[in-house]
Amino acid sequence: MDIKTVSRWLADEARVPHPRHRWAAADALGVDESVLWPEAIRNTVKIGPDREIATVYPYRSACPKSVWRTLITEAQSHITIAGYTNYFLWLEHPNLAKVLKRKAEQGCKIRFLIGDPDSDVTRHREAIEAVPLTVSTRIRITLAELEQLKGVSGIEARFGDEHIAMSVFQFDAEMLVTPHLAKLVGHDSPMLHLKRYQDDGLYDRFAYHVDELWSAGRNIWQGPTSR
């Protein structure tokens, strides 16, 4: 490297060298790049709790279908679908029931947590959204689709009301989370794509939320809650 160039680096702390020059300098000095230019690393590599945020979508509908398809296909251990209606999944993935049945047969544990179409919470949300395709109708569509999976070992489905304002979709160590905004339906609300990298991080916090709701859920096929 040119001596004048290095001198400019030393004279101006805000000046950050090109990556290949940083790597060469770090290698020559036998230190990690973050020791020489910590700000550059912090600005390009997430090292805090937010590193679990892989992608942010301003609208759930902006997330490519291929992302959902990949997460569902690659999950090996468990899948949790905890949206209040989950209606959109059946539209965007016509063969979803067959895919989930096959995954369950391969040992993947699958849980569905959906809203009760006859609850006061559902009726209140319908009044807020005020859309032709009501919340209860969307839930009943999901219930009809779930009938294809009734009795399949490894697949469970429960009613719950407390996740009305937030949907969580869990696929092994990855997760999609949608906080529902005001009167907006799910596809118009933002979504976070999370990947688990640490204990008690964002992923674990939302996983805790879902597990708590699941434990209080009511089995949709047997009536009383199945623990």
Side-chain angles (χ1 to χ4, degrees):
M1 293 175 221
D2 184 79
I3 294 177
K4 291 183 178 179
T5 299
V6 176
S7 297
R8 284 195 292 269
W9 296 346
L10 298 175
D12 185 359
E13 294 183 0
R15 185 186 294 271
V16 178
H18 187 280
R20 71 173 183 272
H21 293 152
R22 297 201 306 267
W23 302 333
D27 185 60
L29 296 173
V31 298
D32 190 87
E33 181 187 357
S34 61
V35 174
L36 300 175
W37 293 282
E39 284 301 318
I41 301 305
R42 276 195 287 269
N43 290 337
T44 58
V45 179
K46 293 179 180 179
I47 58 176
D50 64 336
R51 66 177 174 161
E52 292 197 320
I53 302 176
T55 312
V56 176
Y57 301 97
Y59 300 90
R60 190 190 68 198
S61 55
C63 178
K65 293 179 183 179
S66 59
V67 172
W68 291 91
R69 191 177 304 112
T70 298
L71 291 173
I72 293 170
T73 302
E74 294 185 354
Q76 300 296 319
S77 174
H78 61 276
I79 294 174
T80 297
I81 306 296
Y84 201 76
T85 72
N86 299 314
Y87 160 76
F88 73 99
L89 286 173
W90 311 103
L91 292 183
E92 297 181 0
H93 307 278
N95 296 318
L96 182 59
K98 292 181 179 179
V99 171
L100 294 179
K101 182 177 180 180
R102 183 167 61 250
K103 295 199 73 67
E105 292 170 346
Q106 295 170 349
C108 186
K109 300 298 182 182
I110 299 170
R111 304 184 300 181
F112 275 87
L113 183 66
I114 63 175
D116 185 337
D118 298 315
S119 73
D120 290 338
V121 172
T122 295
R123 284 190 283 271
H124 179 65
R125 185 63 193 180
E126 287 183 342
I128 292 175
E129 291 185 1
V131 295
L133 189 61
T134 64
V135 177
S136 58
T137 298
R138 303 199 303 267
I139 293 174
R140 294 187 194 284
I141 290 173
T142 289
L143 289 173
E145 295 289 348
L146 287 177
E147 280 299 305
Q148 303 176 63
L149 302 174
K150 184 177 181 179
V152 176
S153 178
I155 297 181
E156 297 181 79
R158 297 184 183 182
F159 285 132
D161 293 327
E162 295 181 38
H163 64 305
I164 183 67
M166 182 165 63
S167 299
V168 179
F169 308 92
Q170 189 176 16
F171 310 90
D172 289 350
E174 296 191 50
M175 181 183 288
L176 299 174
V177 179
T178 294
H180 294 256
L181 303 183
K183 299 179 181 180
L184 301 182
V185 295
H187 65 260
D188 286 333
S189 294
M191 188 170 74
L192 306 177
H193 182 176
L194 306 180
K195 294 185 179 181
R196 189 182 190 278
Y197 287 120
Q198 64 190 69
D199 292 339
D200 204 31
L202 284 176
Y203 177 98
D204 282 359
R205 302 302 293 151
F206 284 114
Y208 162 79
H209 169 77
V210 171
D211 287 343
E212 285 294 302
L213 298 182
W214 178 260
S215 67
R218 307 182 301 281
N219 191 306
I220 69 171
W221 291 315
Q222 296 178 3
T225 300
S226 174
R227 301 283 176 141

